[in-house]
Amino acid sequence: DVKVTQSSRYLVKRTGEKVFLECVQDMDHENMFWYRQDPGLGLRLIYFSYDVKMKEKGDIPEGYSVSREKKERFSLILESASTNQTSMYLCASTPGSPGNTIYFGEGSWLTVV
Amino acid sequence: QKEVEQNSGPLSVPEGAIASLNCTYSDRGSQSFFWYRQYSGKSPELIMFIYSNGDKEDGRFTAQLNKASQYVSLLIRDSQPSDSATYLCAVNVDYKLSFGAGTTVTVRA
């Protein structure tokens, strides 16, 4: 079974703190994604990566950055957390060809106070 | 216009009835289409995917795709209380998967 692991499930951070959300997948997938999910808005794509050291902005990249130094790991960074970044963050991965099923991690619930 | 739009719901159906979920998308280059189910507090799980026009059946679920109308739907037959969840439509363009806001379904026993 494909496993996408988000190491931090529940975090509470203060405004202005730097926050790292880590994601690891164990199936050698080329593509990895970070989404955030908010009530009534569905899943919105923050960033994605189709190869090591490659990254592309999604629909809502402002206030976020990412890092992909190794194929299996994709990190989401909030340089200076703000209260409007309180959300549920989902990491996902998929093999290289378009149209493949996407596999999700269990989610990271971030509260910024 | 949002890339993927779903009927807003919530949708309440009696047990044993058919639940019908609709989704439209804006990008004609979309290549593949997915339906995910998400229980409260959990991550989405794949129910079905469809690539070609027409119907695709899997157990009690049927996905229907009409690329000319840019429309994809999901039918849940013989709805069960365990089907109560939010259903997300997702559309793949190149390597990006875009999601609708979801439709919450409640199956009344």
Side-chain angles (χ1 to χ4, degrees), chain A residues 9 31 33 35 37 40-43 45 48 59 88 90 96-107 109, chain B residues 2-3 31-32 34 36 38 41-46 49 51 88 92-102:
Chain A
R9 294 296 314 280
N31 305 316
F33 306 82
Y35 291 88
Q37 187 173 28
L41 297 177
L43 275 76
L45 182 63
F48 66 102
D59 300 318
M88 200 263 273
L90 280 163
S97 301
N100 280 292
T101 311
I102 193 168
Y103 298 88
F104 286 96
E106 293 189 333
W109 296 86
Chain B
K2 291 176 80 171
E3 289 186 15
Q31 299 145 331
S32 47
F34 303 83
Y36 284 82
Q38 187 176 25
K42 301 291 186 181
S43 58
E45 54 181 335
L46 181 69
F49 59 88
Y51 302 145
L88 301 168
N92 188 309
V93 180
D94 296 327
Y95 295 95
K96 225 175 71 162
L97 201 65
S98 296
F99 287 83

Side-chain angles (χ1 to χ4, degrees), chain B residues 7 19-24 33 35 48 50 54-56 61-66 71-76 89:
Chain B
N7 47 333
S20 177
L21 305 170
N22 302 316
C23 175
T24 56
F33 308 86
W35 283 100
M48 293 192 68
I50 186 167
D55 294 359
K56 181 180 178 183
F61 298 96
T62 299
Q64 300 172 316
L65 175 61
N66 184 324
Y71 173 91
V72 59
S73 67
L74 180 71
L75 298 177
I76 307 173
C89 172

Side-chain angles (χ1 to χ4, degrees), chain A residues 44-57:
Chain A
R44 293 180 291 167
L45 182 63
I46 305 171
Y47 268 97
F48 66 102
S49 168
Y50 51 87
D51 202 352
V52 176
K53 296 191 185 295
M54 304 299 288
K55 60 185 179 184
E56 293 282 341
K57 292 180 180 179

